[in-house]
Amino acid sequence: MKKLMGIGNMSFSKKIKISLIFSFMPIILLGILYFIHSRYIVVESMKSESLKIIKNVQKIYIEKYINDVEKDLNLLYKEIHYSDLYDKEKMRKYMKEWREYLKYNTNVDYIYVGTKGKEIYIFPCWENNDAHYDPTKRPWYIESLKSDKIQWVSYIDYKSKKRLISAVKSIKDSKGHVIGVLGMDTTLDNLSESVSKVDLGEDAYVMIVNKEGNIIAHKDKKQLWKTVENNQWYKVVKKEKQGVFYDKKKKCFVSFSRIDKNGWKIIGVIPDKHLEELLKPVGLYAGIIILVASLLFFIVGNLIIRKLKRENKNICTIIEAIENKDLDIFEIDYYRKDEYGEIYKKLNNAIKMINRIKNDAIYDKLTGVYNRRYFDQALEEMIHKSENFTLMMVDVDDFKKINDTYGHQKGDFVLREIARTILKSIRGKDILARYGGEEFIIIFPELEAKDVYSITNRIREKIENINWKEKEMKITISAGVSTYNGQTKEDLINEADELLYKAKSLGKNKVIFKELL
């Protein structure tokens, strides 16, 4: 009772000081919780988006690379009969066909067949002056014996001593005995070039690690073939199929995904400095706001309380939008010159950054049109809804010659111009995507066959008539057009792809339309 009376007799100024102390504590706690919550939401969003990017890289670049090589290897494999391995004249004929194939394929360096009889047929040809050379002892031959399926193996080339990656498949006779191996070689530079195209931000990088824990693709070629087995985080990566975690020691986000076909791991390493730069001002200004709010708490009373409630509600709305990833139309386009101004500015930057990451996941960075991932999703949705549509697959004729003659920058410019020309020629609801390399693919929803045929030929003629700076340069396209009639996604794409290659075989600069065959 005496203590209560003591408080009652306390001076008003002391009561104010005590009230300020007690009123200050919840505000401090609120600021701390706000900062922790903001950091948690931003970190989780960055982790989620970084994994999406890695999965996107896997699908668009690496799996496409693997599938293209395996598709080509299977095509060559079907042409070879096991009895041909005993006929040197037939094998030389195959080598001539391989030469033509390599003119149009930049993924492959060598095509070869090694036989049980220790013969080796390879193009580009190289002389084997080593009497002790035995193809059956080479790593690629041994690896192919493990399965009837295509095997991927990394090894040192016998002649050049380069590190190579091979896709190989065993050739069996009628009794099921292995009598030879068909293989394709590609250098590690090809894969490294693919991952170096991925832009995850400053100091971030993507690498590919094989089953043995060796780096087989990295934008820094000095890192090739180094082992990551000793890295602490690799123990987590090795066990799991995919995931993302934060490495406190190296202060970076590590996202990873496994390719089931060959056990490779695609790993993205993104430094957290962008996150720290974002959160430092937020923490600083949160402290300033707490201090100002505390000093003015009893001066402006309910006004400050209403102000805090209003501003906290705005901030929570923004944080919830980040948490729910509902950012497509949520963007702060105003800045205020009060305590909350810098926070809104930084949160706005955070939203823009996350939106940019999301856009990178659906748009092709070079041409600005949709990427393969978005196309796959759109196509699957249209098939699921059984909508009427037509599919057009486009390939730039002799694109490799353009790169070889005028350089890759000119090649990139050509792709952008072609994408721009196509976009001008199609409707707003049509979907144009870069399918990969110099290939584009278009979905025409709810359009009659005769109209599609007219549009596709108009596109072809426009591209053919583009006036390039290099007057001697002539760019044409070939295309295959297929109408959806209940096929599976794979069958529809393969149908358009086959029509495209038919257009190529008929002299290029043509559109082959299934309905008009």
Side-chain angles (χ1 to χ4, degrees), residues 198-245:
V198 183
D199 184 11
L200 297 180
E202 186 178 358
D203 297 331
Y205 58 89
V206 175
M207 61 182 171
I208 302 176
V209 177
N210 64 12
K211 291 185 292 186
E212 292 73 32
N214 298 317
I215 299 174
I216 60 173
H218 197 291
K219 68 178 182 179
D220 181 3
K221 294 183 179 180
K222 294 179 181 179
Q223 302 299 319
L224 293 180
W225 219 248
K226 289 185 178 180
T227 182
V228 294
E229 285 280 355
N230 299 328
N231 288 5
Q232 191 69 26
W233 51 261
Y234 186 70
K235 295 179 181 178
V236 179
V237 173
K238 192 173 184 180
K239 292 179 182 178
E240 304 294 334
K241 181 176 181 179
Q242 66 178 38
V244 56
F245 59 93

Side-chain angles (χ1 to χ4, degrees), residues 50-195:
S50 64
L51 181 58
K52 285 182 181 179
I53 292 173
I54 290 300
K55 294 291 289 182
N56 195 32
V57 170
Q58 175 181 339
K59 195 167 188 178
I60 295 176
Y61 293 104
I62 311 307
E63 286 186 349
K64 182 183 183 305
Y65 169 87
I66 293 172
N67 291 337
D68 287 348
V69 173
E70 290 190 355
K71 178 182 176 182
D72 292 342
L73 183 64
N74 280 323
L75 288 174
L76 296 178
Y77 185 87
K78 290 178 182 178
E79 295 178 0
I80 299 177
H81 191 267
Y82 72 86
S83 61
D84 296 341
L85 271 63
Y86 303 105
D87 189 335
K88 292 187 176 181
E89 285 301 318
K90 286 188 176 181
M91 293 308 297
R92 292 191 184 98
K93 182 180 177 182
Y94 286 133
M95 290 172 66
K96 291 180 180 179
E97 294 175 358
W98 298 345
R99 178 177 59 187
E100 294 303 313
Y101 167 83
L102 288 175
K103 288 181 180 179
Y104 303 99
N105 193 305
T106 59
N107 287 333
V108 179
D109 290 337
Y110 289 96
I111 304 175
Y112 54 87
V113 169
T115 72
K116 187 178 180 180
K118 301 183 180 180
E119 295 288 343
I120 182 75
Y121 303 94
I122 186 168
F123 189 88
C125 303
W126 53 269
E127 294 184 7
N128 179 22
N129 298 321
D130 188 348
H132 300 290
Y133 178 81
D134 184 357
T136 64
K137 304 296 183 183
R138 299 298 296 152
W140 48 266
Y141 195 104
I142 296 171
E143 187 71 18
S144 72
L145 302 179
K146 295 180 180 180
S147 172
D148 291 337
K149 297 180 180 179
I150 293 175
Q151 300 292 305
W152 289 81
V153 57
S154 307
Y155 70 102
I156 300 177
D157 182 62
Y158 185 84
K159 184 178 181 181
S160 66
K161 306 304 178 184
K162 290 182 179 179
R163 297 282 185 181
L164 301 176
I165 298 174
S166 286
V168 293
K169 189 173 183 179
S170 59
I171 303 172
K172 295 185 178 180
D173 61 18
S174 59
K175 296 181 180 180
H177 299 141
V178 177
I179 61 171
V181 172
L182 171 66
M184 288 181 170
D185 277 353
T186 179
T187 62
L188 298 180
D189 291 344
N190 290 8
L191 276 178
S192 295
E193 184 179 348
S194 295
V195 299

Side-chain angles (χ1 to χ4, degrees), residues 392 425-427 430 444 447 450-460:
M392 176 183 180
S425 305
I426 62 178
R427 304 170 301 168
D430 299 331
F444 296 99
L447 199 61
K450 62 178 183 179
D451 296 324
V452 174
Y453 183 75
S454 175
I455 291 173
T456 54
N457 269 290
R458 186 164 66 247
I459 290 171
R460 180 188 62 77

